Amino acid sequence: MILKVYTSLLLLFLVNSVWTRTVRQVYDELDPEHWSHYTFECPRECFCPPSFPNALYCDNKGLKEIPAIPARIWYLYLQNNLIETVSEKPFVNATHLRWINLNKNKITNSGIESGVLSKLKRLLYLFLEDNALEEVPAPLPVSLEQLRLARNKISRIPEGVFNNLENLTMLDLHQNSLLDSALQSDTFQGLNNLMQLNIAKNSLKKMPLSIPANTLQLFLDNNSIEVIPENYFSAIPKVTFLRLNYNKLSDDGIPPNGFNVSSILDLQLSHNQLTKIPPINAHLEHLHLDHNKIKSVNGTQICPVSIAVAEDYGVYGNAPRLRYLRLDGNEIQPPIPLDVMICFRLLQAVVI
C-alpha cells in the first residue's frame, strides 16, 4: 500500500514537472536562469503565480484603474473589472508585454490615452471585448497578431487604422454597430496576412468591400445581406469557411455560380430565404441549409458532376467531397432521393 502511494506521488510529481516545463517552453522565451534579474514585486490587487512568473492576474478585482505593471510581465489579465481608462503610466516598465486581456470593462475611446497602445512594441494579442468603444482604437502596435473587439458599440473604423498591421491574422468585430458605409474599399488595406475576419451581428446589407486576399475564414452571420455580387469570391481565392447564417439571401440574390468556388469547404447558409439549393463545388465538404424555404431536393440538379459520372466514381475516386448536409427546418419530406446518395458517395450525415 505504501509503495503504491509513493508511486502515485512520484507519478504526480513527474506529471506536474512535465506540465510546468511544457508551459514554460511554449510561453517563455526567457531562460529560467534570467528570471533572477527581474524584481518579483506584485501589485497588491493582483495575483502573481510563482510557477508562471511572466503572468499577472488582476481579473475580477473591481479595479477602476490599471495598476503598475512589473517589467517581467508578458501576460496581463485585467478582464471583468470597472476600468475606464488606459493610460501610459502603468505600462512604463512593461516593455515585454505580449498579451493583454481587457474584456468586460468600461473603456471608451476617449479613455485610451493617445499613443499608449502603439508604444507596446511586442504586443501580439489585444482583447477589448465587451467595453464601450465607438470606433476601432488607433494607433495600434504593428506587432499585433490578434485584435478582438467584439460586443462594443463600434460604428466607425478610422481611415488607415490597419495600414501597418501586416502581422494581424485575426480581426474580430462581431456584435457591433457597423453599417455598410463604415466599410470602404480601403478599410482593410494593410492586412496582408489576415486569416480570420468576423463581422457577424452588425447591420450590414451588402457584402463588405475589399476583404484581404489571404482570408481563410469569413463570418457574416446575423446581418441583413440580400445579394452576393458576381465573382465576389474571386478576390478572396483562399476562403475556406464561409458563414452567412441569419441573413436575407434569396435565390435571386445569388449569382448562378456564386458559391461554386473550389476553395470553400464549409458553407453555412442557415436561416435565409432560399427555396432551392444553390450550385456548389465538388470540393465542398459541409453544407448548412437548415431553416430556409426549400421544398425538395433533386440530386441530379445539385450534383457538381453529372449523375452518370458520379455513379462511375469509386469510393477512392474523385467523387464530390460533401460529407455533411443539413436541411432541417425546410419543407422537405423524407426520404432523401437516391440520386443524392449516388452523387455524394462520401456523405456521412444528412439532417432533414
Side-chain angles (χ1 to χ4, degrees), residues 152-187:
N152 277 275
K153 303 175 182 179
I154 296 173
S155 60
R156 181 174 175 271
I157 300 178
E159 184 177 355
V161 67
F162 301 128
N163 279 1
N164 297 316
L165 301 188
E166 292 191 359
N167 295 311
L168 200 70
T169 59
M170 197 270 268
L171 174 60
D172 190 345
L173 288 163
H174 90 269
Q175 200 166 331
N176 278 285
S177 303
L178 293 170
L179 300 170
D180 295 318
S181 57
L183 304 180
Q184 300 299 314
S185 60
D186 60 350
T187 296

mmCIF file of all heavy atoms in Angstrom, residues 152-187:
data_model
loop_
_atom_site.group_PDB
_atom_site.id
_atom_site.type_symbol
_atom_site.label_atom_id
_atom_site.label_comp_id
_atom_site.label_asym_id
_atom_site.label_seq_id
_atom_site.Cartn_x
_atom_site.Cartn_y
_atom_site.Cartn_z
ATOM 1 N N ASN A 152 -18.866 45.665 -28.643
ATOM 2 C CA ASN A 152 -18.708 47.059 -28.268
ATOM 3 C C ASN A 152 -19.823 47.859 -28.937
ATOM 4 O O ASN A 152 -20.885 47.304 -29.241
ATOM 5 C CB ASN A 152 -17.319 47.562 -28.683
ATOM 6 C CG ASN A 152 -16.239 47.206 -27.673
ATOM 7 O OD1 ASN A 152 -16.024 47.920 -26.706
ATOM 8 N ND2 ASN A 152 -15.560 46.077 -27.882
ATOM 9 N N LYS A 153 -19.582 49.117 -29.203
ATOM 10 C CA LYS A 153 -20.560 49.966 -29.899
ATOM 11 C C LYS A 153 -19.926 50.568 -31.150
ATOM 12 O O LYS A 153 -20.277 51.672 -31.572
ATOM 13 C CB LYS A 153 -21.038 51.082 -28.967
ATOM 14 C CG LYS A 153 -21.654 50.589 -27.661
ATOM 15 C CD LYS A 153 -21.983 51.750 -26.740
ATOM 16 C CE LYS A 153 -22.561 51.262 -25.418
ATOM 17 N NZ LYS A 153 -22.861 52.388 -24.479
ATOM 18 N N ILE A 154 -19.006 49.828 -31.739
ATOM 19 C CA ILE A 154 -18.207 50.357 -32.839
ATOM 20 C C ILE A 154 -19.051 50.576 -34.086
ATOM 21 O O ILE A 154 -19.677 49.648 -34.611
ATOM 22 C CB ILE A 154 -17.030 49.415 -33.156
ATOM 23 C CG1 ILE A 154 -16.088 49.351 -31.949
ATOM 24 C CG2 ILE A 154 -16.277 49.863 -34.409
ATOM 25 C CD1 ILE A 154 -14.985 48.315 -32.080
ATOM 26 N N SER A 155 -19.072 51.811 -34.559
ATOM 27 C CA SER A 155 -19.780 52.163 -35.790
ATOM 28 C C SER A 155 -18.834 52.801 -36.806
ATOM 29 O O SER A 155 -19.231 53.076 -37.935
ATOM 30 C CB SER A 155 -20.932 53.139 -35.492
ATOM 31 O OG SER A 155 -20.440 54.342 -34.913
ATOM 32 N N ARG A 156 -17.593 53.008 -36.394
ATOM 33 C CA ARG A 156 -16.641 53.695 -37.263
ATOM 34 C C ARG A 156 -15.272 53.022 -37.193
ATOM 35 O O ARG A 156 -14.811 52.614 -36.119
ATOM 36 C CB ARG A 156 -16.510 55.164 -36.851
ATOM 37 C CG ARG A 156 -15.563 55.966 -37.703
ATOM 38 C CD ARG A 156 -15.604 57.450 -37.323
ATOM 39 N NE ARG A 156 -14.601 58.191 -38.083
ATOM 40 C CZ ARG A 156 -13.339 58.379 -37.686
ATOM 41 N NH1 ARG A 156 -12.946 57.909 -36.519
ATOM 42 N NH2 ARG A 156 -12.494 59.049 -38.436
ATOM 43 N N ILE A 157 -14.642 52.906 -38.364
ATOM 44 C CA ILE A 157 -13.277 52.385 -38.456
ATOM 45 C C ILE A 157 -12.422 53.501 -39.045
ATOM 46 O O ILE A 157 -12.559 53.832 -40.220
ATOM 47 C CB ILE A 157 -13.210 51.128 -39.339
ATOM 48 C CG1 ILE A 157 -14.114 50.026 -38.755
ATOM 49 C CG2 ILE A 157 -11.774 50.634 -39.455
ATOM 50 C CD1 ILE A 157 -14.160 48.762 -39.579
ATOM 51 N N PRO A 158 -11.560 54.126 -38.244
ATOM 52 C CA PRO A 158 -10.770 55.261 -38.732
ATOM 53 C C PRO A 158 -9.954 54.895 -39.974
ATOM 54 O O PRO A 158 -9.460 53.775 -40.106
ATOM 55 C CB PRO A 158 -9.852 55.583 -37.542
ATOM 56 C CG PRO A 158 -10.565 55.045 -36.346
ATOM 57 C CD PRO A 158 -11.276 53.826 -36.825
ATOM 58 N N GLU A 159 -9.821 55.834 -40.851
ATOM 59 C CA GLU A 159 -9.071 55.615 -42.084
ATOM 60 C C GLU A 159 -7.617 55.261 -41.769
ATOM 61 O O GLU A 159 -6.958 55.921 -40.972
ATOM 62 C CB GLU A 159 -9.114 56.874 -42.953
ATOM 63 C CG GLU A 159 -8.449 56.718 -44.300
ATOM 64 C CD GLU A 159 -8.580 57.965 -45.151
ATOM 65 O OE1 GLU A 159 -9.271 58.917 -44.717
ATOM 66 O OE2 GLU A 159 -7.998 57.988 -46.247
ATOM 67 N N GLY A 160 -7.133 54.191 -42.390
ATOM 68 C CA GLY A 160 -5.736 53.802 -42.255
ATOM 69 C C GLY A 160 -5.378 53.101 -40.960
ATOM 70 O O GLY A 160 -4.200 52.834 -40.712
ATOM 71 N N VAL A 161 -6.368 52.769 -40.135
ATOM 72 C CA VAL A 161 -6.068 52.184 -38.823
ATOM 73 C C VAL A 161 -5.361 50.830 -38.939
ATOM 74 O O VAL A 161 -4.581 50.444 -38.061
ATOM 75 C CB VAL A 161 -7.364 52.054 -37.979
ATOM 76 C CG1 VAL A 161 -8.315 51.038 -38.573
ATOM 77 C CG2 VAL A 161 -7.038 51.687 -36.538
ATOM 78 N N PHE A 162 -5.596 50.121 -40.047
ATOM 79 C CA PHE A 162 -4.984 48.798 -40.213
ATOM 80 C C PHE A 162 -3.784 48.808 -41.165
ATOM 81 O O PHE A 162 -3.211 47.755 -41.448
ATOM 82 C CB PHE A 162 -6.020 47.804 -40.750
ATOM 83 C CG PHE A 162 -7.227 47.627 -39.870
ATOM 84 C CD1 PHE A 162 -8.511 47.765 -40.383
ATOM 85 C CD2 PHE A 162 -7.089 47.326 -38.523
ATOM 86 C CE1 PHE A 162 -9.630 47.601 -39.576
ATOM 87 C CE2 PHE A 162 -8.199 47.161 -37.702
ATOM 88 C CZ PHE A 162 -9.472 47.302 -38.236
ATOM 89 N N ASN A 163 -3.408 49.966 -41.658
ATOM 90 C CA ASN A 163 -2.411 50.044 -42.727
ATOM 91 C C ASN A 163 -1.099 49.330 -42.431
ATOM 92 O O ASN A 163 -0.484 48.754 -43.324
ATOM 93 C CB ASN A 163 -2.111 51.507 -43.065
ATOM 94 C CG ASN A 163 -3.162 52.103 -43.979
ATOM 95 O OD1 ASN A 163 -4.125 51.441 -44.347
ATOM 96 N ND2 ASN A 163 -2.996 53.360 -44.341
ATOM 97 N N ASN A 164 -0.645 49.391 -41.191
ATOM 98 C CA ASN A 164 0.663 48.833 -40.852
ATOM 99 C C ASN A 164 0.587 47.515 -40.089
ATOM 100 O O ASN A 164 1.602 47.038 -39.578
ATOM 101 C CB ASN A 164 1.461 49.853 -40.027
ATOM 102 C CG ASN A 164 1.741 51.120 -40.797
ATOM 103 O OD1 ASN A 164 2.118 51.072 -41.970
ATOM 104 N ND2 ASN A 164 1.552 52.267 -40.149
ATOM 105 N N LEU A 165 -0.597 46.929 -40.031
ATOM 106 C CA LEU A 165 -0.768 45.714 -39.236
ATOM 107 C C LEU A 165 -0.580 44.460 -40.102
ATOM 108 O O LEU A 165 -1.468 43.609 -40.229
ATOM 109 C CB LEU A 165 -2.139 45.697 -38.558
ATOM 110 C CG LEU A 165 -2.447 46.861 -37.616
ATOM 111 C CD1 LEU A 165 -3.747 46.614 -36.881
ATOM 112 C CD2 LEU A 165 -1.307 47.081 -36.619
ATOM 113 N N GLU A 166 0.588 44.318 -40.672
ATOM 114 C CA GLU A 166 0.858 43.193 -41.563
ATOM 115 C C GLU A 166 0.937 41.860 -40.827
ATOM 116 O O GLU A 166 0.840 40.803 -41.449
ATOM 117 C CB GLU A 166 2.149 43.439 -42.338
ATOM 118 C CG GLU A 166 2.039 44.575 -43.341
ATOM 119 C CD GLU A 166 3.238 44.624 -44.273
ATOM 120 O OE1 GLU A 166 4.140 43.788 -44.108
ATOM 121 O OE2 GLU A 166 3.251 45.497 -45.160
ATOM 122 N N ASN A 167 1.114 41.891 -39.519
ATOM 123 C CA ASN A 167 1.210 40.653 -38.742
ATOM 124 C C ASN A 167 -0.153 40.155 -38.258
ATOM 125 O O ASN A 167 -0.239 39.048 -37.728
ATOM 126 C CB ASN A 167 2.128 40.861 -37.531
ATOM 127 C CG ASN A 167 3.560 41.137 -37.936
ATOM 128 O OD1 ASN A 167 4.122 40.421 -38.752
ATOM 129 N ND2 ASN A 167 4.153 42.190 -37.386
ATOM 130 N N LEU A 168 -1.192 40.973 -38.417
ATOM 131 C CA LEU A 168 -2.506 40.605 -37.881
ATOM 132 C C LEU A 168 -3.083 39.420 -38.659
ATOM 133 O O LEU A 168 -3.212 39.465 -39.883
ATOM 134 C CB LEU A 168 -3.466 41.784 -37.959
ATOM 135 C CG LEU A 168 -4.682 41.700 -37.029
ATOM 136 C CD1 LEU A 168 -4.246 41.872 -35.579
ATOM 137 C CD2 LEU A 168 -5.730 42.750 -37.387
ATOM 138 N N THR A 169 -3.439 38.358 -37.935
ATOM 139 C CA THR A 169 -4.041 37.189 -38.560
ATOM 140 C C THR A 169 -5.516 37.037 -38.205
ATOM 141 O O THR A 169 -6.251 36.335 -38.912
ATOM 142 C CB THR A 169 -3.306 35.901 -38.137
ATOM 143 O OG1 THR A 169 -3.370 35.764 -36.711
ATOM 144 C CG2 THR A 169 -1.851 35.934 -38.583
ATOM 145 N N MET A 170 -5.969 37.664 -37.120
ATOM 146 C CA MET A 170 -7.361 37.542 -36.707
ATOM 147 C C MET A 170 -7.918 38.885 -36.264
ATOM 148 O O MET A 170 -7.326 39.564 -35.423
ATOM 149 C CB MET A 170 -7.484 36.525 -35.573
ATOM 150 C CG MET A 170 -8.917 36.036 -35.370
ATOM 151 S SD MET A 170 -9.840 37.040 -34.220
ATOM 152 C CE MET A 170 -9.505 36.147 -32.731
ATOM 153 N N LEU A 171 -9.058 39.282 -36.861
ATOM 154 C CA LEU A 171 -9.749 40.523 -36.506
ATOM 155 C C LEU A 171 -11.198 40.184 -36.205
ATOM 156 O O LEU A 171 -11.933 39.697 -37.065
ATOM 157 C CB LEU A 171 -9.663 41.526 -37.659
ATOM 158 C CG LEU A 171 -10.452 42.831 -37.491
ATOM 159 C CD1 LEU A 171 -9.988 43.598 -36.255
ATOM 160 C CD2 LEU A 171 -10.317 43.700 -38.742
ATOM 161 N N ASP A 172 -11.614 40.430 -34.963
ATOM 162 C CA ASP A 172 -12.970 40.108 -34.528
ATOM 163 C C ASP A 172 -13.727 41.396 -34.209
ATOM 164 O O ASP A 172 -13.408 42.097 -33.252
ATOM 165 C CB ASP A 172 -12.926 39.205 -33.293
ATOM 166 C CG ASP A 172 -14.294 38.631 -32.941
ATOM 167 O OD1 ASP A 172 -15.311 39.146 -33.463
ATOM 168 O OD2 ASP A 172 -14.359 37.678 -32.152
ATOM 169 N N LEU A 173 -14.724 41.692 -35.038
ATOM 170 C CA LEU A 173 -15.559 42.893 -34.866
ATOM 171 C C LEU A 173 -17.024 42.513 -34.702
ATOM 172 O O LEU A 173 -17.904 43.338 -34.931
ATOM 173 C CB LEU A 173 -15.398 43.816 -36.080
ATOM 174 C CG LEU A 173 -14.058 44.554 -36.214
ATOM 175 C CD1 LEU A 173 -13.876 45.079 -37.630
ATOM 176 C CD2 LEU A 173 -13.992 45.707 -35.220
ATOM 177 N N HIS A 174 -17.296 41.301 -34.313
ATOM 178 C CA HIS A 174 -18.690 40.879 -34.302
ATOM 179 C C HIS A 174 -19.478 41.523 -33.155
ATOM 180 O O HIS A 174 -18.932 41.898 -32.138
ATOM 181 C CB HIS A 174 -18.794 39.350 -34.283
ATOM 182 C CG HIS A 174 -18.832 38.700 -32.948
ATOM 183 N ND1 HIS A 174 -17.712 38.284 -32.285
ATOM 184 C CD2 HIS A 174 -19.895 38.371 -32.157
ATOM 185 C CE1 HIS A 174 -18.056 37.717 -31.151
ATOM 186 N NE2 HIS A 174 -19.372 37.762 -31.032
ATOM 187 N N GLN A 175 -20.771 41.666 -33.391
ATOM 188 C CA GLN A 175 -21.726 42.277 -32.470
ATOM 189 C C GLN A 175 -21.330 43.706 -32.113
ATOM 190 O O GLN A 175 -21.119 44.057 -30.957
ATOM 191 C CB GLN A 175 -21.902 41.426 -31.207
ATOM 192 C CG GLN A 175 -23.208 41.740 -30.468
ATOM 193 C CD GLN A 175 -23.566 40.698 -29.438
ATOM 194 O OE1 GLN A 175 -23.215 39.525 -29.576
ATOM 195 N NE2 GLN A 175 -24.282 41.099 -28.403
ATOM 196 N N ASN A 176 -21.233 44.529 -33.162
ATOM 197 C CA ASN A 176 -21.035 45.958 -33.011
ATOM 198 C C ASN A 176 -22.142 46.698 -33.755
ATOM 199 O O ASN A 176 -23.238 46.150 -33.908
ATOM 200 C CB ASN A 176 -19.635 46.350 -33.494
ATOM 201 C CG ASN A 176 -18.571 46.115 -32.429
ATOM 202 O OD1 ASN A 176 -18.462 46.868 -31.467
ATOM 203 N ND2 ASN A 176 -17.790 45.043 -32.581
ATOM 204 N N SER A 177 -21.868 47.894 -34.230
ATOM 205 C CA SER A 177 -22.903 48.701 -34.894
ATOM 206 C C SER A 177 -22.440 49.178 -36.267
ATOM 207 O O SER A 177 -22.708 50.298 -36.674
ATOM 208 C CB SER A 177 -23.245 49.924 -34.013
ATOM 209 O OG SER A 177 -23.666 49.536 -32.730
ATOM 210 N N LEU A 178 -21.745 48.295 -36.974
ATOM 211 C CA LEU A 178 -21.189 48.654 -38.277
ATOM 212 C C LEU A 178 -22.255 48.645 -39.367
ATOM 213 O O LEU A 178 -22.996 47.675 -39.532
ATOM 214 C CB LEU A 178 -20.072 47.687 -38.653
ATOM 215 C CG LEU A 178 -18.803 47.755 -37.798
ATOM 216 C CD1 LEU A 178 -17.882 46.586 -38.128
ATOM 217 C CD2 LEU A 178 -18.078 49.086 -38.015
ATOM 218 N N LEU A 179 -22.295 49.730 -40.129
ATOM 219 C CA LEU A 179 -23.130 49.843 -41.320
ATOM 220 C C LEU A 179 -22.252 49.650 -42.550
ATOM 221 O O LEU A 179 -21.031 49.669 -42.468
ATOM 222 C CB LEU A 179 -23.805 51.211 -41.369
ATOM 223 C CG LEU A 179 -24.730 51.574 -40.204
ATOM 224 C CD1 LEU A 179 -25.129 53.041 -40.279
ATOM 225 C CD2 LEU A 179 -25.969 50.694 -40.217
ATOM 226 N N ASP A 180 -22.880 49.514 -43.713
ATOM 227 C CA ASP A 180 -22.117 49.365 -44.955
ATOM 228 C C ASP A 180 -21.166 50.537 -45.171
ATOM 229 O O ASP A 180 -20.049 50.364 -45.660
ATOM 230 C CB ASP A 180 -23.072 49.265 -46.151
ATOM 231 C CG ASP A 180 -23.924 48.015 -46.090
ATOM 232 O OD1 ASP A 180 -23.386 46.947 -45.738
ATOM 233 O OD2 ASP A 180 -25.128 48.094 -46.385
ATOM 234 N N SER A 181 -21.598 51.728 -44.781
ATOM 235 C CA SER A 181 -20.795 52.935 -45.002
ATOM 236 C C SER A 181 -19.492 52.924 -44.204
ATOM 237 O O SER A 181 -18.555 53.649 -44.535
ATOM 238 C CB SER A 181 -21.607 54.174 -44.630
ATOM 239 O OG SER A 181 -22.059 54.100 -43.283
ATOM 240 N N ALA A 182 -19.414 52.092 -43.174
ATOM 241 C CA ALA A 182 -18.196 52.032 -42.359
ATOM 242 C C ALA A 182 -17.100 51.203 -43.017
ATOM 243 O O ALA A 182 -15.930 51.298 -42.635
ATOM 244 C CB ALA A 182 -18.510 51.454 -40.986
ATOM 245 N N LEU A 183 -17.481 50.402 -44.015
ATOM 246 C CA LEU A 183 -16.529 49.500 -44.663
ATOM 247 C C LEU A 183 -16.268 49.982 -46.085
ATOM 248 O O LEU A 183 -16.983 49.630 -47.022
ATOM 249 C CB LEU A 183 -17.059 48.064 -44.667
ATOM 250 C CG LEU A 183 -17.432 47.485 -43.292
ATOM 251 C CD1 LEU A 183 -17.944 46.066 -43.445
ATOM 252 C CD2 LEU A 183 -16.254 47.534 -42.333
ATOM 253 N N GLN A 184 -15.238 50.798 -46.239
ATOM 254 C CA GLN A 184 -14.873 51.344 -47.538
ATOM 255 C C GLN A 184 -13.920 50.396 -48.266
ATOM 256 O O GLN A 184 -13.462 49.401 -47.707
ATOM 257 C CB GLN A 184 -14.229 52.722 -47.364
ATOM 258 C CG GLN A 184 -15.129 53.750 -46.693
ATOM 259 C CD GLN A 184 -16.401 54.026 -47.482
ATOM 260 O OE1 GLN A 184 -16.369 54.218 -48.701
ATOM 261 N NE2 GLN A 184 -17.540 54.013 -46.791
ATOM 262 N N SER A 185 -13.603 50.729 -49.504
ATOM 263 C CA SER A 185 -12.757 49.855 -50.320
ATOM 264 C C SER A 185 -11.344 49.729 -49.775
ATOM 265 O O SER A 185 -10.630 48.777 -50.097
ATOM 266 C CB SER A 185 -12.714 50.371 -51.763
ATOM 267 O OG SER A 185 -12.192 51.695 -51.788
ATOM 268 N N ASP A 186 -10.920 50.680 -48.934
ATOM 269 C CA ASP A 186 -9.567 50.632 -48.377
ATOM 270 C C ASP A 186 -9.542 50.372 -46.867
ATOM 271 O O ASP A 186 -8.501 50.485 -46.232
ATOM 272 C CB ASP A 186 -8.820 51.921 -48.685
ATOM 273 C CG ASP A 186 -9.510 53.156 -48.096
ATOM 274 O OD1 ASP A 186 -10.653 53.025 -47.615
ATOM 275 O OD2 ASP A 186 -8.910 54.246 -48.133
ATOM 276 N N THR A 187 -10.688 50.011 -46.308
ATOM 277 C CA THR A 187 -10.769 49.826 -44.853
ATOM 278 C C THR A 187 -9.782 48.781 -44.346
ATOM 279 O O THR A 187 -9.117 48.980 -43.324
ATOM 280 C CB THR A 187 -12.191 49.426 -44.434
ATOM 281 O OG1 THR A 187 -13.083 50.506 -44.731
ATOM 282 C CG2 THR A 187 -12.259 49.128 -42.943
#
